[in-house]
Protein backbone atom coordinates (compact mmCIF):
# COMPACT_ATOMS: atom_id res chain seq x y z
CA UNK A 1 0.00 0.00 0.00
CA UNK A 2 2.80 2.42 0.89
CA UNK A 3 4.65 1.67 -2.36
CA UNK A 4 1.49 2.42 -4.35
CA UNK A 5 1.22 5.76 -2.55
CA UNK A 6 4.87 6.52 -3.32
CA UNK A 7 4.34 5.60 -6.98
CA UNK A 8 1.32 7.88 -7.21
CA UNK A 9 3.42 10.77 -5.92
CA UNK A 10 6.26 9.98 -8.33
CA UNK A 11 3.75 9.79 -11.18
CA UNK A 12 2.82 13.41 -10.59
CA UNK A 13 6.50 14.42 -10.53
CA UNK A 14 7.85 12.55 -13.57
CA UNK A 15 6.76 12.55 -17.18
CA UNK A 16 4.44 9.76 -18.34
CA UNK A 17 7.16 8.04 -20.36
CA UNK A 18 9.76 8.19 -17.54
CA UNK A 19 7.30 6.84 -14.99
CA UNK A 20 6.14 4.07 -17.32
CA UNK A 21 9.67 2.99 -18.23
CA UNK A 22 11.56 3.23 -14.93
CA UNK A 23 9.16 3.42 -11.95
CA UNK A 24 6.10 1.36 -12.83
CA UNK A 25 8.09 -1.88 -13.44
CA UNK A 26 9.56 -1.71 -9.92
CA UNK A 27 7.88 -4.05 -7.46
CA UNK A 28 7.87 -3.92 -3.66
CA UNK A 29 9.15 -7.24 -2.38
CA UNK A 30 8.74 -6.46 1.33
CA UNK A 31 8.35 -3.67 3.86
CA UNK A 32 10.01 -4.16 7.22
CA UNK A 33 9.38 -1.27 9.59
CA UNK A 34 11.23 1.72 8.17
CA UNK A 35 12.87 -0.28 5.34
CA UNK A 36 11.54 -0.97 1.87
CA UNK A 37 12.91 -3.55 -0.57
CA UNK A 38 12.26 -2.97 -4.29
CA UNK A 39 13.10 -5.27 -7.19
CA UNK A 40 13.72 -4.46 -10.84
CA UNK A 41 13.66 -6.77 -13.89
CA UNK A 42 17.44 -6.90 -14.54
CA UNK A 43 20.77 -5.45 -13.42
CA UNK A 44 20.97 -2.90 -16.24
CA UNK A 45 17.52 -1.62 -15.31
CA UNK A 46 18.43 -1.42 -11.62
CA UNK A 47 21.71 0.35 -12.35
CA UNK A 48 19.87 2.98 -14.38
CA UNK A 49 17.20 3.51 -11.69
CA UNK A 50 19.85 3.72 -8.97
CA UNK A 51 21.78 6.33 -10.92
CA UNK A 52 18.84 8.48 -12.02
CA UNK A 53 15.86 7.96 -9.72
CA UNK A 54 16.81 6.29 -6.43
CA UNK A 55 17.48 9.55 -4.56
CA UNK A 56 14.06 10.86 -5.66
CA UNK A 57 12.39 7.63 -4.54
CA UNK A 58 14.15 7.80 -1.15
CA UNK A 59 13.12 11.41 -0.56
CA UNK A 60 9.51 10.68 -1.51
CA UNK A 61 9.41 7.55 0.69
CA UNK A 62 10.78 9.48 3.67
CA UNK A 63 8.18 12.23 3.24
CA UNK A 64 5.21 9.88 2.82
CA UNK A 65 6.07 6.95 5.07
CA UNK A 66 9.06 7.92 7.21
CA UNK A 67 11.10 5.26 5.40
CA UNK A 68 14.81 5.44 6.26
CA UNK A 69 16.17 2.67 4.04
CA UNK A 70 15.38 1.58 0.47
CA UNK A 71 17.16 -1.38 -1.09
CA UNK A 72 17.04 -2.00 -4.82
CA UNK A 73 17.65 -5.58 -5.96
CA UNK A 74 17.47 -7.56 -9.19
CA UNK A 75 14.49 -9.88 -9.50
CA UNK A 76 14.96 -13.59 -10.01
CA UNK A 77 15.65 -14.44 -13.65
CA UNK A 78 12.39 -14.82 -15.51
CA UNK A 79 11.31 -14.77 -19.15
CA UNK A 80 11.13 -11.33 -20.74
CA UNK A 81 7.70 -9.99 -21.62
CA UNK A 82 6.64 -11.00 -25.10
CA UNK A 83 4.30 -9.20 -27.44
CA UNK A 84 0.80 -10.66 -27.18
CA UNK A 85 0.43 -11.05 -30.95
CA UNK A 86 2.61 -14.16 -30.93
CA UNK A 87 5.46 -12.55 -32.87
CA UNK A 88 7.98 -13.59 -30.25
CA UNK A 89 9.48 -10.10 -30.04
CA UNK A 90 10.60 -8.79 -26.66
CA UNK A 91 9.16 -5.61 -25.25
CA UNK A 92 10.23 -3.21 -22.54
CA UNK A 93 8.93 -3.57 -18.98
CA UNK A 94 6.08 -1.13 -18.47
CA UNK A 95 5.21 -0.85 -22.17
CA UNK A 96 1.77 -2.18 -23.01
CA UNK A 97 1.35 -4.56 -25.92
CA UNK A 98 -0.39 -3.53 -29.10
CA UNK A 99 1.71 -0.42 -29.78
CA UNK A 100 5.35 -0.40 -30.74
CA UNK A 101 7.03 -3.79 -31.07
CA UNK A 102 10.56 -3.82 -29.71
CA UNK A 103 13.47 -6.07 -28.92
CA UNK A 104 15.00 -5.47 -25.49
CA UNK A 105 16.70 -2.12 -24.92
CA UNK A 106 19.77 -1.25 -22.90
CA UNK A 107 18.79 1.62 -20.58
CA UNK A 108 22.16 3.36 -21.01
CA UNK A 109 22.07 3.31 -24.82
CA UNK A 110 20.85 6.90 -25.18
CA UNK A 111 22.12 9.93 -27.07
CA UNK A 112 23.23 11.52 -23.78
CA UNK A 113 25.50 8.55 -23.05
CA UNK A 114 27.00 8.40 -26.56
CA UNK A 115 30.49 9.89 -27.00
CA UNK A 116 30.70 11.81 -30.28
CA UNK A 117 33.94 12.08 -32.26
CA UNK A 118 35.05 12.47 -35.84
CA UNK A 119 34.65 8.72 -36.39
CA UNK A 120 30.90 8.69 -35.66
CA UNK A 121 29.70 12.29 -36.03
CA UNK A 122 27.73 11.76 -39.25
CA UNK A 123 26.02 8.58 -37.98
CA UNK A 124 25.11 10.24 -34.68
CA UNK A 125 23.75 13.37 -36.39
CA UNK A 126 21.66 11.34 -38.81
CA UNK A 127 20.22 9.16 -36.03
CA UNK A 128 19.32 12.18 -33.92
CA UNK A 129 17.60 13.79 -36.91
CA UNK A 130 15.59 10.65 -37.67
CA UNK A 131 14.61 10.31 -34.01
CA UNK A 132 13.09 13.80 -34.02
CA UNK A 133 11.51 13.58 -37.48
CA UNK A 134 14.04 15.94 -39.06
CA UNK A 135 14.40 15.15 -42.78
CA UNK A 136 17.84 16.79 -43.16
CA UNK A 137 19.49 13.43 -43.78
CA UNK A 138 16.53 11.84 -45.55
CA UNK A 139 14.26 9.12 -44.22
CA UNK A 140 16.53 6.08 -44.69
CA UNK A 141 19.87 5.40 -42.99
CA UNK A 142 22.25 2.47 -43.45
CA UNK A 143 25.00 2.24 -40.78
CA UNK A 144 27.87 -0.22 -40.94
CA UNK A 145 30.87 -0.84 -38.70
CA UNK A 146 32.81 -3.63 -37.08
CA UNK A 147 31.58 -4.89 -33.74
CA UNK A 148 31.55 -2.72 -30.63
CA UNK A 149 31.73 0.72 -32.27
CA UNK A 150 28.23 1.96 -31.45
CA UNK A 151 25.74 0.79 -34.11
CA UNK A 152 23.38 -0.73 -31.55
CA UNK A 153 23.91 2.16 -29.14
CA UNK A 154 22.81 4.71 -31.76
CA UNK A 155 19.93 2.55 -32.97
CA UNK A 156 18.61 2.08 -29.45
CA UNK A 157 19.16 5.77 -28.73
CA UNK A 158 16.71 6.50 -31.55
CA UNK A 159 14.19 4.13 -29.97
CA UNK A 160 14.62 5.70 -26.53
CA UNK A 161 14.17 9.18 -28.00
CA UNK A 162 11.05 8.22 -29.96
CA UNK A 163 9.53 6.47 -26.94
CA UNK A 164 10.15 9.58 -24.87
CA UNK A 165 9.03 12.28 -27.32
CA UNK A 166 6.40 10.43 -29.37
CA UNK A 167 5.35 7.24 -27.51
CA UNK A 168 2.39 6.64 -29.82
CA UNK A 169 4.73 6.07 -32.79
CA UNK A 170 4.20 2.64 -34.32
CA UNK A 171 7.82 1.59 -34.14
CA UNK A 172 9.30 -1.83 -34.94
CA UNK A 173 12.82 -2.56 -33.72
CA UNK A 174 14.25 -6.05 -34.26
CA UNK A 175 17.16 -7.96 -35.69
CA UNK A 176 17.24 -9.40 -39.19
CA UNK A 177 17.25 -12.87 -37.60
CA UNK A 178 14.06 -12.07 -35.70
CA UNK A 179 12.44 -10.73 -38.86
CA UNK A 180 13.40 -13.91 -40.74
CA UNK A 181 12.12 -16.20 -37.96
CA UNK A 182 8.85 -14.28 -37.76
CA UNK A 183 8.38 -14.55 -41.52
CA UNK A 184 9.03 -18.31 -41.49
CA UNK A 185 6.43 -18.65 -38.74
CA UNK A 186 3.98 -16.65 -40.86
CA UNK A 187 4.53 -18.94 -43.84
CA UNK A 188 4.06 -22.09 -41.76
CA UNK A 189 0.89 -20.81 -40.08
CA UNK A 190 -0.49 -19.33 -43.31
CA UNK A 191 -0.64 -15.83 -41.77
CA UNK A 192 1.68 -13.97 -44.14
CA UNK A 193 -1.03 -11.43 -44.87
CA UNK A 194 -1.05 -10.36 -41.22
CA UNK A 195 2.76 -10.36 -41.16
CA UNK A 196 3.00 -8.04 -44.15
CA UNK A 197 0.21 -5.79 -42.87
CA UNK A 198 2.04 -5.26 -39.59
CA UNK A 199 5.11 -3.84 -41.30
CA UNK A 200 3.39 -2.07 -44.19
CA UNK A 201 0.19 -0.63 -42.69
CA UNK A 202 1.01 -0.50 -38.98
CA UNK A 203 4.54 0.87 -39.04
CA UNK A 204 5.75 4.47 -38.79
CA UNK A 205 9.38 3.60 -38.19
CA UNK A 206 11.36 0.41 -38.87
CA UNK A 207 14.77 -0.39 -37.39
CA UNK A 208 16.45 -3.65 -38.41
CA UNK A 209 19.89 -4.65 -37.11
CA UNK A 210 22.47 -7.07 -38.55
CA UNK A 211 21.27 -7.01 -42.15
CA UNK A 212 24.40 -8.91 -43.18
CA UNK A 213 22.94 -12.06 -41.57
CA UNK A 214 20.38 -12.28 -44.39
CA UNK A 215 23.09 -13.59 -46.73
CA UNK A 216 21.58 -16.34 -48.86
CA UNK A 217 18.06 -15.95 -47.42
CA UNK A 218 16.39 -15.01 -50.68
CA UNK A 219 12.76 -15.22 -49.54
CA UNK A 220 13.45 -13.02 -46.51
CA UNK A 221 15.32 -10.51 -48.67
CA UNK A 222 12.41 -10.41 -51.10
CA UNK A 223 9.85 -9.80 -48.35
CA UNK A 224 11.93 -7.14 -46.60
CA UNK A 225 12.63 -5.49 -49.95
CA UNK A 226 8.89 -5.19 -50.61
CA UNK A 227 8.32 -3.70 -47.16
CA UNK A 228 11.19 -1.22 -47.55
CA UNK A 229 9.87 -0.17 -50.96
CA UNK A 230 6.47 0.70 -49.51
CA UNK A 231 7.81 2.39 -46.37
CA UNK A 232 10.32 4.57 -48.21
CA UNK A 233 7.85 5.61 -50.91
CA UNK A 234 5.37 6.63 -48.23
CA UNK A 235 7.98 8.69 -46.34
CA UNK A 236 8.33 6.38 -43.34
CA UNK A 237 11.61 6.32 -41.41
CA UNK A 238 13.98 3.35 -41.77
CA UNK A 239 17.30 2.53 -40.07
CA UNK A 240 19.35 -0.53 -41.07
CA UNK A 241 22.65 -1.68 -39.55
CA UNK A 242 25.28 -4.14 -40.66
CA UNK A 243 28.73 -5.35 -39.61
CA UNK A 244 29.74 -5.24 -43.29
CA UNK A 245 29.61 -2.40 -45.81
CA UNK A 246 26.62 -2.87 -48.17
CA UNK A 247 28.78 -3.27 -51.28
CA UNK A 248 30.75 -6.09 -49.60
CA UNK A 249 27.82 -8.21 -48.36
CA UNK A 250 27.77 -11.41 -50.39
CA UNK A 251 24.62 -13.36 -51.23
CA UNK A 252 22.41 -10.25 -51.34
CA UNK A 253 20.03 -9.54 -54.23
CA UNK A 254 21.08 -6.45 -56.23
CA UNK A 255 17.60 -4.92 -56.06
CA UNK A 256 17.53 -5.40 -52.27
CA UNK A 257 21.03 -3.92 -51.96
CA UNK A 258 19.96 -0.90 -54.02
CA UNK A 259 16.83 -0.38 -51.91
CA UNK A 260 18.77 -0.57 -48.63
CA UNK A 261 21.26 2.03 -49.79
CA UNK A 262 18.78 4.44 -51.36
CA UNK A 263 19.29 6.89 -48.49
CA UNK A 264 22.33 7.91 -46.45
CA UNK A 265 25.03 5.25 -46.07
CA UNK A 266 27.66 5.88 -43.41
CA UNK A 267 30.26 3.83 -41.62
CA UNK A 268 31.43 4.20 -38.03
CA UNK A 269 35.19 4.06 -37.70
CA UNK A 270 37.28 3.23 -34.65
CA UNK A 271 37.42 6.24 -32.31
CA UNK A 272 40.61 8.31 -32.24
CA UNK A 273 42.75 8.69 -29.13
CA UNK A 274 40.95 11.76 -27.77
CA UNK A 275 37.52 10.16 -28.19
CA UNK A 276 38.73 6.92 -26.56
CA UNK A 277 40.06 8.91 -23.62
CA UNK A 278 36.72 10.72 -23.21
CA UNK A 279 34.85 7.42 -23.38
CA UNK A 280 37.12 5.89 -20.73
CA UNK A 281 36.80 8.89 -18.39
CA UNK A 282 33.03 8.81 -18.80
CA UNK A 283 32.78 5.08 -18.10
CA UNK A 284 35.11 5.35 -15.11
CA UNK A 285 32.85 8.05 -13.70
CA UNK A 286 29.76 5.91 -14.26
CA UNK A 287 31.41 3.12 -12.25
CA UNK A 288 32.34 5.52 -9.45
CA UNK A 289 36.07 5.35 -10.23
CA UNK A 290 38.65 8.10 -10.57
CA UNK A 291 41.56 7.60 -12.95
CA UNK A 292 44.58 9.88 -13.35
CA UNK A 293 45.93 10.94 -16.74
CA UNK A 294 48.48 8.10 -16.83
CA UNK A 295 45.82 5.44 -16.26
CA UNK A 296 43.41 6.94 -18.79
CA UNK A 297 46.23 7.45 -21.30
CA UNK A 298 47.40 3.87 -20.97
CA UNK A 299 43.89 2.53 -21.45
CA UNK A 300 43.26 4.79 -24.45
CA UNK A 301 46.55 3.68 -26.02
CA UNK A 302 45.87 0.00 -25.35
CA UNK A 303 42.16 -0.42 -26.09
CA UNK A 304 41.46 0.47 -29.69
CA UNK A 305 38.39 -0.51 -31.68
CA UNK A 306 35.75 -2.47 -29.77
CA UNK A 307 34.36 -0.16 -27.06
CA UNK A 308 32.96 -3.15 -25.17
CA UNK A 309 36.54 -4.04 -24.23
CA UNK A 310 36.82 -0.68 -22.45
CA UNK A 311 33.73 -1.54 -20.39
CA UNK A 312 35.13 -5.00 -19.64
CA UNK A 313 38.50 -3.54 -18.62
CA UNK A 314 36.90 -0.97 -16.32
CA UNK A 315 34.78 -3.65 -14.63
CA UNK A 316 37.94 -5.71 -14.11
CA UNK A 317 39.85 -2.72 -12.70
CA UNK A 318 36.96 -1.93 -10.37
CA UNK A 319 36.79 -5.52 -9.14
CA UNK A 320 40.53 -5.80 -8.49
CA UNK A 321 40.80 -2.43 -6.77
CA UNK A 322 37.89 -3.32 -4.46
CA UNK A 323 39.27 -6.79 -3.80
CA UNK A 324 42.59 -5.33 -2.64
CA UNK A 325 40.92 -2.26 -1.09
CA UNK A 326 43.11 0.18 -3.04
CA UNK A 327 42.45 2.97 -5.50
CA UNK A 328 42.70 2.05 -9.21
CA UNK A 329 46.22 2.65 -10.47
CA UNK A 330 48.38 1.96 -13.49
CA UNK A 331 49.67 -1.39 -12.25
CA UNK A 332 46.12 -2.74 -11.79
CA UNK A 333 45.14 -1.39 -15.21
CA UNK A 334 48.11 -3.13 -16.85
CA UNK A 335 47.33 -6.43 -15.16
CA UNK A 336 43.68 -6.32 -16.25
CA UNK A 337 44.27 -5.07 -19.79
CA UNK A 338 47.17 -7.42 -20.59
CA UNK A 339 44.96 -10.25 -19.38
CA UNK A 340 42.14 -8.98 -21.57
CA UNK A 341 44.06 -8.49 -24.81
CA UNK A 342 46.49 -11.35 -24.24
CA UNK A 343 49.76 -9.42 -24.58
CA UNK A 344 51.24 -5.98 -24.46
CA UNK A 345 50.06 -3.56 -27.10
CA UNK A 346 51.57 -3.65 -30.58
CA UNK A 347 53.28 -0.37 -31.42
CA UNK A 348 52.06 1.02 -34.75
CA UNK A 349 52.51 4.24 -36.64
CA UNK A 350 48.96 5.22 -35.69
CA UNK A 351 49.51 4.55 -31.97
CA UNK A 352 52.69 6.66 -32.07
CA UNK A 353 50.84 9.46 -33.82
CA UNK A 354 48.05 9.29 -31.23
CA UNK A 355 50.58 9.44 -28.37
CA UNK A 356 52.42 12.41 -29.89
CA UNK A 357 49.11 14.19 -30.46
CA UNK A 358 48.05 13.71 -26.83
CA UNK A 359 51.45 14.62 -25.37
CA UNK A 360 52.00 17.76 -27.46
CA UNK A 361 48.30 18.68 -27.76
CA UNK A 362 48.26 18.77 -31.55
CA UNK A 363 45.67 17.17 -33.81
CA UNK A 364 46.27 14.70 -36.62
CA UNK A 365 45.24 17.43 -39.07
CA UNK A 366 47.93 19.70 -37.62
CA UNK A 367 50.57 16.99 -37.97
CA UNK A 368 49.56 16.45 -41.60
CA UNK A 369 49.32 20.16 -42.38
CA UNK A 370 51.95 22.32 -44.16
CA UNK A 371 52.48 24.35 -40.97
CA UNK A 372 56.10 25.25 -40.17
CA UNK A 373 55.42 26.43 -36.62
CA UNK A 374 57.80 24.97 -34.04
CA UNK A 375 54.79 23.79 -32.02
CA UNK A 376 53.85 21.54 -34.97
CA UNK A 377 57.14 20.71 -36.71
CA UNK A 378 58.86 19.40 -33.55
CA UNK A 379 56.07 16.92 -32.65
CA UNK A 380 55.90 15.87 -36.30
CA UNK A 381 59.65 15.18 -36.41
CA UNK A 382 59.44 13.34 -33.09
CA UNK A 383 56.61 11.16 -34.42
CA UNK A 384 58.58 10.33 -37.56
CA UNK A 385 61.67 9.46 -35.51
CA UNK A 386 59.74 7.15 -33.16
CA UNK A 387 57.84 5.48 -36.00
CA UNK A 388 61.13 4.65 -37.71
CA UNK A 389 62.54 3.36 -34.40
CA UNK A 390 59.61 1.17 -33.33
CA UNK A 391 58.05 -0.04 -36.59
CA UNK A 392 59.16 -1.62 -39.85
CA UNK A 393 57.43 1.00 -42.00
CA UNK A 394 59.42 2.43 -44.89
CA UNK A 395 60.39 6.09 -45.07
CA UNK A 396 57.79 6.59 -47.81
CA UNK A 397 55.04 4.97 -45.71
CA UNK A 398 55.94 7.11 -42.71
CA UNK A 399 55.94 10.20 -44.89
CA UNK A 400 52.47 9.43 -46.25
CA UNK A 401 51.10 9.41 -42.69
CA UNK A 402 52.13 13.05 -42.36
CA UNK A 403 51.58 14.17 -45.95
CA UNK A 404 55.35 14.31 -46.61
CA UNK A 405 57.88 12.52 -48.81
CA UNK A 406 60.67 10.18 -47.69
CA UNK A 407 63.35 12.91 -47.75
CA UNK A 408 61.43 14.92 -45.12
CA UNK A 409 61.25 11.85 -42.89
CA UNK A 410 64.99 11.28 -43.27
CA UNK A 411 65.66 14.91 -42.34
CA UNK A 412 63.40 14.61 -39.28
CA UNK A 413 65.24 11.51 -38.06
CA UNK A 414 68.61 13.20 -38.45
CA UNK A 415 67.35 16.34 -36.68
CA UNK A 416 66.01 14.48 -33.63
CA UNK A 417 69.15 12.33 -33.43
CA UNK A 418 71.37 15.43 -33.50
CA UNK A 419 69.21 17.27 -30.94
CA UNK A 420 69.33 14.28 -28.58
CA UNK A 421 73.14 14.35 -28.59
CA UNK A 422 73.23 18.09 -27.90
CA UNK A 423 70.30 18.68 -25.53
CA UNK A 424 69.63 16.61 -22.43
CA UNK A 425 66.01 17.78 -22.24
CA UNK A 426 65.20 16.40 -25.68
CA UNK A 427 66.96 13.11 -24.95
CA UNK A 428 64.94 12.75 -21.75
CA UNK A 429 61.76 13.62 -23.65
CA UNK A 430 62.46 10.89 -26.21
CA UNK A 431 63.22 8.38 -23.44
CA UNK A 432 59.96 9.24 -21.69
CA UNK A 433 57.97 8.77 -24.91
CA UNK A 434 59.73 5.46 -25.58
CA UNK A 435 58.80 4.28 -22.08
CA UNK A 436 55.15 5.20 -22.63
CA UNK A 437 55.11 3.36 -25.96
CA UNK A 438 56.56 0.19 -24.44
CA UNK A 439 54.09 0.07 -21.55
Amino acid sequence: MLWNTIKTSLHSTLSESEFGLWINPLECRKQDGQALELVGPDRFFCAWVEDRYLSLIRNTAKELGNIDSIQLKVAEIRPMQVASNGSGQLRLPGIASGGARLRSLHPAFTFEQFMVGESNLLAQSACQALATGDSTYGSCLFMNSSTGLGKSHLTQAVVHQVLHSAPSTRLHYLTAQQFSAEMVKGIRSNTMELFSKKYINDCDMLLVEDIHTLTGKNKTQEELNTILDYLLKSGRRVILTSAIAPNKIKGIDDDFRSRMTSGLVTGIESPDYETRARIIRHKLQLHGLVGDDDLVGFMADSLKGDIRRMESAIIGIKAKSRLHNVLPDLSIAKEVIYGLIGCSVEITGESIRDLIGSQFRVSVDDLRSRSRKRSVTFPRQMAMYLTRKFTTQSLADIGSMYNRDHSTVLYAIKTITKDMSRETSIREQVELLCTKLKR
Side-chain angles (χ1 to χ4, degrees):
M1 291 294 293
L2 176 59
W3 175 235
N4 288 336
T5 304
I6 294 170
K7 286 200 331 184
T8 301
S9 177
L10 293 171
H11 200 175
S12 64
T13 305
L14 300 171
S15 67
E16 188 70 35
S17 58
E18 277 188 294
F19 178 83
L21 281 172
W22 306 115
I23 304 300
N24 201 42
L26 291 171
E27 298 176 4
C28 181
R29 176 178 284 169
K30 67 178 180 180
Q31 180 182 346
D32 185 8
Q34 294 178 313
L36 209 62
E37 185 176 300
L38 305 179
V39 294
D42 57 53
R43 63 188 181 92
F44 296 113
F45 184 96
C46 290
W48 189 258
V49 170
E50 184 173 2
D51 184 47
R52 297 297 182 93
Y53 302 104
L54 192 55
S55 61
L56 175 62
I57 295 172
R58 281 176 174 151
N59 292 337
T60 306
K62 190 166 185 63
E63 290 175 7
L64 297 177
N66 199 28
I67 296 295
D68 291 329
S69 171
I70 289 186
Q71 288 187 320
L72 181 60
K73 296 186 176 181
V74 179
E76 293 81 5
I77 297 175
R78 57 184 179 183
M80 292 290 290
Q81 292 174 294
V82 178
S84 59
N85 63 352
S87 66
Q89 295 176 38
L90 302 178
R91 59 186 174 88
L92 280 173
I95 295 293
S97 61
R101 296 175 177 86
L102 309 169
R103 60 180 298 221
S104 57
L105 297 179
H106 193 307
F109 281 5
T110 63
F111 285 119
E112 291 77 16
Q113 297 292 323
F114 188 78
M115 293 289 114
V116 182
E118 291 183 10
S119 61
N120 56 34
L121 178 58
L122 180 57
Q124 188 269 350
S125 300
C127 284
Q128 202 147 39
L130 282 167
T132 57
D134 184 351
S135 60
T136 301
Y137 297 92
S139 60
C140 180
L141 171 66
F142 188 105
M143 288 189 294
N144 63 271
S145 76
S146 55
T147 185
L149 296 184
K151 296 187 304 295
S152 292
H153 189 140
L154 282 176
T155 308
Q156 293 194 26
V158 171
V159 179
H160 278 298
Q161 179 68 35
V162 172
L163 285 175
H164 178 73
S165 59
S168 61
T169 301
R170 296 173 300 175
L171 183 148
H172 300 275
Y173 169 46
L174 68 167
T175 65
Q177 298 98 314
Q178 287 174 321
F179 180 89
S180 181
E182 190 179 346
M183 192 193 82
V184 170
K185 185 177 180 180
I187 293 173
R188 289 176 176 172
S189 60
N190 199 27
T191 57
M192 278 301 292
E193 185 177 345
L194 292 175
F195 172 82
S196 300
K197 178 180 178 296
K198 181 177 74 173
Y199 290 103
I200 290 178
N201 298 336
D202 300 330
C203 179
D204 300 316
M205 189 171 193
L206 177 65
L207 305 94
V208 184
E209 290 218 72
D210 303 329
I211 287 292
H212 61 280
T213 60
L214 294 184
T215 295
K217 298 180 180 179
N218 297 330
K219 288 289 186 183
T220 307
Q221 292 177 32
E222 182 181 339
E223 183 66 28
L224 185 54
N225 189 32
T226 302
I227 291 169
L228 291 178
D229 182 45
Y230 179 84
L231 293 178
L232 295 176
K233 284 180 178 178
S234 58
R236 313 292 174 85
R237 290 170 287 175
V238 174
I239 295 179
L240 308 171
T241 75
S242 169
I244 305 172
N247 61 327
K248 294 183 179 178
I249 304 176
K250 297 179 180 179
I252 293 288
D253 179 74
D254 288 338
D255 187 40
F256 180 46
R257 193 193 312 272
S258 174
R259 190 92 57 207
M260 289 192 300
T261 57
S262 59
L264 175 64
V265 178
T266 181
I268 301 177
E269 304 298 330
S270 297
D272 57 22
Y273 175 88
E274 290 298 333
T275 305
R276 294 199 300 273
R278 285 194 292 116
I279 292 171
I280 289 165
R281 285 193 181 94
H282 177 71
K283 288 185 176 294
L284 284 170
Q285 185 178 7
L286 288 179
H287 283 274
L289 302 176
V290 178
D292 59 23
D293 290 343
D294 284 343
L295 185 145
V296 173
F298 173 73
M299 293 183 69
D301 277 332
S302 306
L303 301 170
K304 301 179 176 68
D306 192 345
I307 295 170
R308 296 191 190 102
R309 292 202 302 178
M310 298 181 191
E311 183 77 27
S312 178
I314 289 169
I315 291 172
I317 291 169
K318 182 178 181 179
K320 279 190 175 293
S321 63
R322 288 193 173 181
L323 180 65
H324 299 293
N325 196 27
V326 296
L327 292 174
D329 58 18
L330 192 55
S331 62
I332 291 178
K334 285 183 178 181
E335 184 181 351
V336 170
I337 290 173
Y338 289 159
L340 183 65
I341 63 180
C343 61
S344 59
V345 184
E346 179 188 1
I347 300 175
T348 65
E350 288 75 15
S351 64
I352 293 170
R353 189 170 62 186
D354 284 344
L355 177 65
I356 293 296
S358 65
Q359 293 295 309
F360 290 92
R361 299 187 183 280
V362 292
S363 67
V364 173
D365 289 339
D366 288 335
L367 292 173
R368 289 179 55 84
S369 71
R370 308 309 296 183
S371 175
R372 293 182 177 275
K373 294 179 181 178
R374 173 70 176 172
S375 61
V376 176
T377 57
F378 180 69
R380 184 191 297 135
Q381 289 173 342
M382 186 72 78
M384 291 176 176
Y385 170 84
L386 292 172
T387 305
R388 185 63 171 172
K389 178 179 176 66
F390 284 101
T391 75
T392 58
Q393 289 180 258
S394 66
L395 295 175
D397 288 340
I398 297 172
S400 67
M401 289 182 62
Y402 300 94
N403 199 23
R404 298 295 191 279
D405 58 26
H406 74 283
S407 61
T408 305
V409 178
L410 194 57
Y411 175 76
I413 295 170
K414 289 179 178 178
T415 300
I416 296 297
T417 303
K418 186 190 301 181
D419 289 346
M420 286 173 62
S421 64
R422 291 178 177 177
E423 300 182 39
T424 304
S425 62
I426 291 182
R427 184 174 65 254
E428 290 176 347
Q429 202 168 16
V430 171
E431 289 172 354
L432 177 61
L433 290 169
C434 289
T435 301
K436 290 193 173 188
L437 283 169
K438 291 175 182 177
R439 290 194 305 210

